[in-house]
Amino acid sequence: MRIAFSSIIFLLFLSTNVLAQSDATDIPQDIYKIFPNATRVGEMHTDIKVTPVYQLQQLLGYVFESNDFVDFIGFSGKPVNVVIGLDTQGNVVDLFVKQHSEPIFLHGLLVINDTIVTSALAVARAKLDGFVAPSNNIINPDFYEPLNFSELVDKGYIQKHQITQQNTEGLSREVVRAVDDIQSELALDGDIIAEHYYAFLSLPIVGKNLLDEEEFARLQENLNPGEMALMVLNTKGFSFISDEFIPQTTPEHLRVSQGGFPTAIRDIDFYSFYDPAFSQALPDYNEIKVLRVKSKGGLSLDQEMEIAISVPFKPSFFEQDEHLFPLKVTLPSELFMENPEAQLAKPIPLWQKIWRDRTLTISTTVVYLVALSLFFAFQQRLTPYTKFVHTVRAFSLVFVLFFIGFYAQGQLSVVNIYTLLLDIVDGFSLEVYLLDPVIFILWSFVFVSLFIVGRGLFCGWLCPFGALQEMMGILAEKLRIKQIRIKPQHHKRAQKIKYGLLIGLVACSFYSLNLAEKLAEIEPFKTSITLHFVRYWPFVLYSVLLLLLSLKIHKVYCRYLCPLGAGLAILGRFPLVKLLTRKDACGNPCQLCKQKKCGIDAIEQDGSIDYAECIQCLECVVTLDNPDLCKIDKYKKKKVPTRVKNLNPVRT
């Protein structure tokens, strides 16, 4: 009893030691977050990069990183890496984003969604049952004609595999010796060492010809969805199973592979309780088994595969090895048909899916841009109608903030500028920019309009944060908050700040894109427009302070800090068309528009427009075209007395 007890203790110690070498009980934090009940983790699998997670001896599931399976590119030009936990039923237990380079755009969530689904499906297909990838071809269920066994073999529907002495030529002495021992043990007289037939009963022309109707129906009941049945007959010599074979296990001497990867096969014990019921005579056989080809094995019958008989041999006294005698198998193409589900399942490019799903948003945005273009095209005819222009302006501010900004997430960013520059250097991919249709449409529109009318079309009529600042200015006017007017010399110097920020960000992006993305938080767009102020408090405080400052200094961020506005100003400094008309008296002597109407200080002392800074709010031209507002027209209505100079002044 003492010896037995000592032996048990030794075995427990040994098993514990082996477990400690292969598994880890110190659960990594990433895995613990997903599987808090885990007690140990196994080693990462060698076939695919997944880590098994256990609770004692029970497999809880697998943890993996999406970057090891997919590389869907986000708007930043880089993939999003997600750590995912998958249970044994194929359910996503939990996940978290490990790394991403997305800027302010919520469309990145769509990229993450595709990343999660595709990578999880890849793991499920490789490790779990019931997850079968749709093939381009499937078995044709209607392909059938009555054939006997020999005809099925002759047409290639059933495969015959013979191993002869000729197949042993050139092999090592140990393998040849093992084959000789087999011949001697089985008393084989002829040249044949082994003979097998392989019949995929899942093929209707094979299964229905060999099995009677009732037996074929029973076979289907024994298979899970996506699984196939392979019947193997040993008719001569060495068998694919040993004398010690245990039903419902894997045959010891049979290997099935495709593309260099082994396929899981297992006996379904089909004839343990039922006698074989064939509809025709089969060759005399020594052994017969019906094997289950697991769905997770991913075997495609329409593709070339390899079925091999393995013969064990001993390279040395202490070693055990096996030699494979393979048979290349390619089933005839007429057995298969094009899979309509696979055609439907062919993934369309992600950007096309996004555009299709956002049809209404895209249409509404395009309609607004067309209307805005027409408004600017006929601007000079419309500006005399002061109330109409003010109404259009008010509608535009509301629409841009709430629809394009908060709803459609169409806030452009300086990140787009240096991402584009990096792509030009590293290799441009249009598909990356198509991932967000609203952003793509707006950038296309803005880029063209920059050279036609300048930066004002975006900064005054398309920027959500700009609209929010302007609303703050309107609120300040209603509350009669006195505005701070920056002195001209200080204003000119302060304008240069945004250009310095732009140069710094672009230069930094070529050094480190991640650092440049962090520094781009100088833009309050992500906090205010994208995340609706739901963010860590320092970011919210910064955005709120800018808006509060806008109550005192009109559009302070746009004028002095916006690096995006600086980039657009550089490109739109010299527009082809200057729509803002001026009069000879503008600037000299009249300073009304400069002093009272242009809140952004884009009118020079001489009355000309600085198109690099102008947001084209149209206040100056509305004033100019309204005789009740324009001082020049008012002065013309008055009779100005002629002054007579006194040529001989009297000294007193």
Side-chain angles (χ1 to χ4, degrees):
M1 177 67 70
R2 183 176 298 175
I3 296 175
F5 181 75
S6 300
S7 300
I8 293 172
I9 294 297
F10 173 76
L11 289 174
L12 286 174
F13 173 80
L14 181 62
S15 62
T16 304
N17 187 46
V18 171
L19 181 63
Q21 291 177 358
S22 60
D23 293 341
T25 55
D26 186 13
I27 312 298
Q29 186 63 30
D30 287 355
I31 294 178
Y32 181 77
K33 287 166 63 176
I34 295 175
F35 288 102
N37 296 327
T39 58
R40 64 186 179 92
V41 296
E43 292 183 345
M44 181 178 288
H45 287 192
T46 56
D47 53 348
I48 62 173
K49 292 185 177 181
V50 297
T51 300
V53 184
Y54 299 89
Q55 186 180 40
L56 300 178
Q57 299 303 315
Q58 180 185 0
L59 177 65
L60 296 179
Y62 300 95
V63 174
F64 53 93
E65 295 186 17
S66 61
N67 269 6
D68 293 323
F69 298 91
V70 297
D71 58 351
F72 291 138
I73 303 301
F75 202 89
S76 64
K78 295 183 178 182
V80 178
N81 191 21
V82 185
V83 178
I84 304 170
L86 205 66
D87 68 14
T88 55
Q89 302 302 313
N91 301 309
V92 175
V93 178
D94 202 354
L95 56 87
F96 60 89
V97 176
K98 185 174 183 179
Q99 183 179 9
H100 76 92
S101 299
E102 293 302 286
I104 64 172
F105 309 103
L106 286 184
H107 86 279
L109 295 177
L110 296 169
V111 178
I112 294 174
N113 178 71
D114 272 37
T115 297
I116 294 168
V117 172
T118 305
S119 58
L121 193 55
V123 172
R125 285 170 176 168
K127 295 297 177 183
L128 306 176
D129 289 332
F131 293 88
V132 184
S135 172
N136 290 333
N137 294 310
I138 59 172
I139 297 171
N140 187 347
D142 301 322
F143 185 78
Y144 175 80
E145 61 176 319
L147 296 172
N148 60 37
F149 192 89
S150 297
E151 290 172 331
L152 289 169
V153 174
D154 292 340
K155 289 180 175 290
Y157 304 150
I158 294 177
Q159 306 296 318
K160 181 179 180 180
H161 186 194
Q162 281 189 341
I163 302 173
T164 66
Q165 284 288 348
Q166 194 174 14
N167 297 122
T168 66
E169 294 179 1
L171 300 180
S172 66
R173 289 182 302 170
E174 291 80 11
V175 176
V176 174
R177 186 182 303 117
V179 171
D180 291 341
D181 291 343
I182 291 171
Q183 282 188 301
S184 176
E185 182 181 347
L186 298 177
L188 301 177
D189 296 332
D191 197 36
I192 297 176
I193 300 167
E195 183 177 86
H196 293 83
Y197 288 91
Y198 309 125
F200 283 97
L201 298 177
S202 299
L203 297 168
I205 199 168
V206 176
K208 291 181 179 180
N209 271 309
L210 297 186
L211 308 178
D212 61 26
E213 186 174 343
E214 185 178 345
E215 189 80 342
F216 188 74
R218 186 170 73 87
L219 175 66
Q220 304 307 313
E221 293 175 359
N222 277 268
L223 298 175
N224 296 320
E227 293 180 339
M228 294 175 288
L230 169 63
M231 186 173 73
V232 182
L233 301 175
N234 168 243
T235 53
K236 291 181 183 178
F238 182 73
S239 177
F240 67 103
I241 61 173
S242 69
D243 295 335
E244 295 81 23
F245 176 75
I246 300 173
Q248 298 187 18
T249 63
T250 300
E252 297 93 334
H253 306 309
L254 185 69
R255 306 286 183 267
V256 178
S257 63
Q258 189 169 62
F261 295 97
T263 296
I265 54 175
R266 186 176 292 271
D267 173 44
I268 63 174
D269 214 6
F270 197 60
Y271 292 127
S272 294
F273 306 102
Y274 295 85
D275 292 329
F278 300 117
S279 59
Q280 60 173 282
L282 269 64
D284 293 335
Y285 55 83
N286 302 318
E287 300 287 351
I288 181 172
K289 293 293 177 185
V290 177
L291 308 175
R292 183 196 313 273
V293 180
K294 291 273 190 178
S295 60
K296 70 180 181 183
L299 186 71
S300 297
L301 295 186
D302 61 316
Q303 302 295 319
E304 183 185 73
M305 68 192 83
E306 184 176 279
I307 304 177
I309 298 297
S310 67
V311 174
F313 71 96
K314 288 189 174 183
S316 67
F317 183 79
F318 296 101
E319 293 181 89
Q320 181 74 28
D321 203 346
E322 65 179 14
H323 178 79
L324 298 182
F325 290 92
L327 174 69
K328 299 288 186 182
V329 175
T330 303
L331 295 172
S333 59
E334 62 265 22
L335 294 171
F336 309 98
M337 59 180 287
E338 191 174 23
N339 184 2
E341 290 187 7
Q343 294 300 315
L344 293 174
K346 283 183 178 178
I348 63 172
L350 179 58
W351 72 267
Q352 291 184 20
K353 186 189 303 182
I354 295 172
W355 281 66
R356 183 187 60 192
D357 293 342
R358 302 189 69 186
T359 303
L360 181 60
T361 302
I362 292 170
S363 302
T364 305
T365 303
V366 170
V367 168
Y368 173 74
L369 293 179
V370 171
L372 185 62
S373 300
L374 292 174
F375 179 77
F376 264 71
F378 295 99
Q379 176 196 122
Q380 293 179 348
R381 297 184 184 181
L382 297 174
T383 48
Y385 303 96
T386 305
K387 288 185 178 180
F388 174 75
V389 174
H390 285 163
T391 301
V392 171
R393 178 73 179 156
F395 169 81
S396 174
L397 293 176
V398 173
F399 179 84
V400 166
L401 176 61
F402 290 99
F403 181 83
I404 290 183
F406 291 148
Y407 177 75
Q409 293 296 294
Q411 175 69 68
L412 304 190
S413 167
V414 70
V415 176
N416 307 135
I417 294 179
Y418 51 67
T419 299
L420 175 62
L421 294 176
L422 288 174
D423 278 354
I424 293 174
V425 174
D426 299 334
F428 181 78
S429 174
L430 180 63
E431 189 168 323
V432 172
Y433 297 91
L434 292 170
L435 287 172
D436 193 312
V438 173
I439 295 295
F440 179 81
I441 291 170
L442 289 177
W443 263 119
S444 301
F445 181 82
V446 169
F447 184 76
V448 174
S449 66
L450 274 176
F451 300 101
I452 299 176
V453 296
R455 69 174 272 206
L457 200 56
F458 169 75
C459 294
W461 298 82
L462 287 173
C463 179
F465 190 76
L468 182 57
Q469 281 192 104
E470 192 149 342
M471 288 180 180
M472 296 299 289
I474 295 173
L475 178 63
E477 185 179 350
K478 297 296 183 183
L479 296 176
R480 297 183 179 180
I481 297 176
K482 187 176 180 180
Q483 296 286 293
I484 298 175
R485 299 289 296 189
I486 307 297
K487 293 182 178 180
Q489 62 271 27
H490 298 153
H491 169 67
K492 288 295 184 181
R493 293 193 189 101
Q495 282 180 328
K496 297 177 182 178
I497 296 175
K498 61 179 178 284
Y499 294 97
L501 292 173
L502 173 66
I503 295 171
L505 286 171
V506 171
C508 181
S509 68
F510 283 93
Y511 169 72
S512 170
L513 183 59
N514 289 333
L515 178 59
E517 288 166 355
K518 293 177 181 178
L519 294 177
E521 291 292 350
I522 187 70
E523 293 182 328
F525 306 157
K526 181 186 290 186
T527 301
S528 59
I529 304 301
T530 306
L531 300 178
H532 304 168
F533 295 97
V534 181
R535 206 179 180 196
Y536 186 43
W537 71 265
F539 296 100
V540 177
L541 179 62
Y542 169 67
S543 300
V544 171
L545 286 176
L546 284 177
L547 292 175
L548 291 177
L549 192 57
S550 296
L551 293 172
K552 294 293 292 180
I553 304 175
H554 186 73
K555 301 190 79 165
V556 61
Y557 174 79
C558 296
R559 296 162 71 183
Y560 305 125
L561 298 177
C562 183
L564 173 62
L568 299 180
I570 293 172
L571 294 176
R573 184 172 294 274
F574 303 106
L576 295 175
V577 180
K578 296 183 177 181
L579 296 174
L580 304 180
T581 56
R582 312 301 292 150
K583 292 182 179 180
D584 292 339
C586 291
N588 184 22
C590 184
Q591 295 287 323
L592 173 65
C593 291
K594 176 174 175 58
Q595 298 293 339
K596 301 292 185 181
K597 298 298 180 179
C598 185
I600 205 164
D601 286 342
I603 299 179
E604 302 289 3
Q605 192 69 28
D606 61 0
S608 62
I609 304 295
D610 182 3
Y611 279 88
E613 300 296 328
C614 178
I615 63 168
Q616 303 206 30
C617 64
L618 304 184
E619 279 302 312
C620 60
V621 289
V622 166
T623 301
L624 202 64
D625 290 340
N626 189 327
D628 294 328
L629 297 176
C630 182
K631 286 187 177 181
I632 297 174
D633 291 332
K634 285 183 179 181
Y635 291 154
K636 287 181 178 179
K637 292 178 181 179
K638 294 180 180 180
K639 184 177 180 181
V640 182
T642 304
R643 292 184 179 181
V644 179
K645 293 182 179 181
N646 190 349
L647 299 179
N648 298 303
V650 178
R651 296 182 181 271
T652 59

